[in-house]
Every structure is written in C-alpha cells, then in structure tokens.
Amino acid sequence: MWQNLTCFIGILCLFLWHLDGVFGVEVKSVSVMEGHSVTLHTHLTHIQTHDLILWMFGVQSPDEIIAEINREANKTSFINERLKNHVEIDAQTGSLIITNITTQHTGLYTAEISRNTVRFKYYNVTVYARLSVPIITRDSSQCSSSSSSSCCCVLCSVVNVSHDVSVSWYKGKSLLSSISVSDLNIRLSLPLEVEYQDTNTYRCVVNNPITNHTQHLHITQLCHTSEGLSFILICCAVVGFLTIVTALLIFYISRKHRKTINKDHQTGEEEITYAEPTFCERPTHKPRCAVEEDVVYAGVMRR
C-alpha cells in the first residue's frame, strides 16, 4: 500500500513540478546559504487530534519520507537517514526546520497534510555554497598588443564557484562587464584594462542570489609603469646612499671626538711632576758633659 501511495505521490509531484501554476498549485521557492537554517511552514496554527502530516523530499524519488507526524498516535518519526540529523519538527504547527543545511539538501520538499481532506504544500529549496572573496591580480597576457604600453591589465578571479555565481567589474556605480557560470567547482575570472594614470574607482563583485563579496582595485599599488618603477628604484638607491654616508659621518665624528678626549687625558697626566724624596743628614750634637778624661773624682769621708 505504501509503495503504491508513494509512487502516486511521486508522479503527482513530478507533474506539479513541470506544470507549476497551471492549475493554481503554488510551489514556493526558498533560497538559503549553506550552513544556515530554514523553516518550511505548514501554515497550520496548531495540529489537531486526527491530523496526519508527511514531509517528503525529492522529485524523481519522492518516496524519501523525511518525517511523519501522527497526532492521534502521538508519534513523530524521522525516517530519511540523509536528513535525519538536520531536521526538526515544530510541535505546534508541524512545520519542517532544516538546520545546518548543505548543498545536498537542494530540491523539492512536499508536505502532505491530512485533515478531513488532503492538502499539499510544495517548496523548491535552493542551497547556495559559501562565496570566496575575489582576488585581483595583474595579468599582462590579457592585454592587447596595441594597448599594452599605455594600459594595465588586471584579472579578478574567484575559485570553487557554485551555480548562479557571477563576477562583475564596476566603475563607480556603473557596470562595465560581467560573467556568470552554472558549473560547479571551477575558477571564474574576468579581465579589465585600465590606464596607468586612471584615478577612477574600480571594484570587482562576486555574487549569487543571496550574498556578495567586493574587492577594490588599487591602481597605484598593482599597476606600475617602467618609468615609475625606475623612479622608485632611484629613490630607494639615493635614500640608501644617504643613509650610509650619514652613518659613516657620525662614526667619523664620534671617533675623532673620542681621540680628542683621550689626548687631553694623556696630556694632563704628563704635566704632573713627581719629586724624588731627598734626605738631608742632620749634624750630630756633642753632649755638653765633659768627656771621661775631664772627670775629677773627690774623696768621701765617713763619720
């Protein structure tokens, strides 16, 4: 029974997919960036007791049932293994919430709501991969031979692009050129020629239907003429030469000053005269007493 039912639903979904709007059937388009979340609504204020809701994924294989909400049995079942860890069900309305969505989740989602009668809700979900920031480089191979001497050729590139991605050059607010691609995982590049002395503002924009990234072109930094490059090299050489001369001059003055200080210090030492000590022999004074020959001995009388 389930196989017959799912087969019928598959044929019905495929038919509605190709005849969108012919009989008033609405297929709502939803765009979302990879890694974000999206909610697919049932537009019910609340689930009633006898409601049965089936969420299904895919056009060619709509038998991939994502979830089943059976309020009478008070049961919610998640069936699809690929989406099992990415989906949630709003307990009040039965809406499907897809979290951390990836590009593999792009496709048709169908809600079959059984309440007295059977109604269907269709959502065409497109998941866009994250955009890389564009890179601007100089590429002389993009220049024509006649303009190579007066113009600078640059290239704006973005890698790993997904479907519905375009790269555009703008001059101020005016669009100059644009290129788009529907293939996946390729490198997308767009050239531009500008004059060396151009003072206009240029920017490269990469975008998809959801978001965009902008990179500004700095002509003076990226584009250098041979004359300008020679002038820069000469300036660098002059600055380097003056730096060396200044350093040598400072070294010479410092060394000369140091020698002067040392010379003055040595001269001061030579002016000091050290006198040799002189010892003078003092005359020996003779004792006033008479020498031994002049001594007279007197006799002593005893009583």
Side-chain angles (χ1 to χ4, degrees):
M1 178 179 179
W2 274 105
Q3 292 180 350
N4 295 333
L5 178 61
T6 54
C7 182
F8 171 75
I9 294 174
I11 297 173
L12 178 62
C13 289
L14 185 60
F15 177 75
L16 293 174
W17 177 262
H18 291 289
L19 297 179
D20 179 19
V22 174
F23 298 103
V25 177
E26 181 183 2
V27 180
K28 186 175 181 180
S29 296
V30 178
S31 299
V32 61
M33 183 65 67
E34 186 177 23
H36 292 185
S37 299
V38 63
T39 300
L40 308 181
H41 298 279
T42 59
H43 298 289
L44 300 176
T45 56
H46 63 278
I47 304 176
Q48 297 181 0
T49 305
H50 300 289
D51 287 348
L52 176 64
I53 302 174
L54 289 177
W55 277 104
M56 293 165 287
F57 172 75
V59 177
Q60 297 182 1
S61 56
D63 56 331
E64 295 189 27
I65 299 176
I66 301 171
E68 177 184 358
I69 303 102
N70 190 334
R71 181 48 57 90
E72 186 173 6
N74 195 23
K75 183 180 69 172
T76 299
S77 303
F78 297 96
I79 301 172
N80 187 282
E81 291 297 329
R82 182 172 58 173
L83 293 167
K84 185 175 182 180
N85 297 324
H86 293 269
V87 294
E88 300 174 3
I89 295 295
D90 187 306
Q92 180 177 348
T93 64
S95 298
L96 182 70
I97 305 170
I98 309 174
T99 60
N100 194 23
I101 198 167
T102 70
T103 54
Q104 294 182 350
H105 299 152
T106 294
L108 180 67
Y109 291 78
T110 305
E112 179 187 339
I113 306 170
S114 298
R115 175 187 287 182
N116 299 327
T117 60
V118 179
R119 292 182 299 162
F120 294 90
K121 294 287 184 182
Y122 303 97
Y123 293 91
N124 179 26
V125 177
T126 303
V127 183
Y128 292 93
R130 296 182 181 274
L131 287 176
S132 301
V133 177
I135 300 174
I136 301 177
T137 56
R138 184 173 180 176
D139 189 354
S140 301
S141 64
Q142 300 294 329
C143 293
S144 60
S145 57
S146 59
S147 62
S148 58
S149 59
S150 60
C151 293
C152 175
C153 298
V154 295
L155 195 66
C156 181
S157 305
V158 62
V159 296
N160 298 328
V161 298
S162 59
H163 57 284
D164 293 337
V165 172
S166 64
V167 176
S168 306
W169 274 111
Y170 287 85
K171 179 181 179 180
K173 295 183 179 180
S174 302
L175 177 64
L176 297 179
S177 59
S178 182
I179 186 175
S180 60
V181 68
S182 58
D183 296 331
L184 301 178
N185 300 322
I186 68 169
R187 178 185 178 92
L188 192 61
S189 301
L190 185 64
L192 176 69
E193 288 188 10
V194 294
E195 294 184 355
Y196 288 109
Q197 306 302 324
D198 197 338
T199 57
N200 291 296
T201 301
Y202 295 90
R203 56 193 173 95
C204 178
V205 179
V206 54
N207 68 285
N208 58 27
I210 296 180
T211 187
N212 65 78
H213 288 303
T214 300
Q215 190 73 272
H216 292 274
L217 170 63
H218 302 282
I219 300 176
T220 56
Q221 297 179 7
L222 194 61
C223 300
H224 299 292
T225 61
S226 56
E227 294 82 2
L229 184 59
S230 299
F231 178 76
I232 293 175
L233 293 176
I234 292 173
C235 289
C236 292
V238 171
V239 171
F241 175 76
L242 292 177
T243 302
I244 295 173
V245 170
T246 303
L248 291 176
L249 185 59
I250 293 174
F251 175 76
Y252 174 76
I253 295 174
S254 176
R255 185 176 180 182
K256 185 176 181 180
H257 182 66
R258 191 181 300 112
K259 284 185 177 181
T260 303
I261 294 176
N262 292 338
K263 185 176 181 180
D264 293 341
H265 181 66
Q266 292 175 1
T267 303
E269 289 182 352
E270 290 175 356
E271 290 179 352
I272 299 174
T273 303
Y274 296 93
E276 291 294 334
T278 303
F279 299 94
C280 298
E281 184 177 358
R282 299 180 64 181
T284 304
H285 299 282
K286 293 183 179 181
R288 295 182 180 180
C289 299
V291 293
E292 189 177 351
E293 290 82 1
D294 297 333
V295 178
V296 178
Y297 295 96
V300 179
M301 294 182 66
R302 295 182 182 181
R303 292 181 180 178

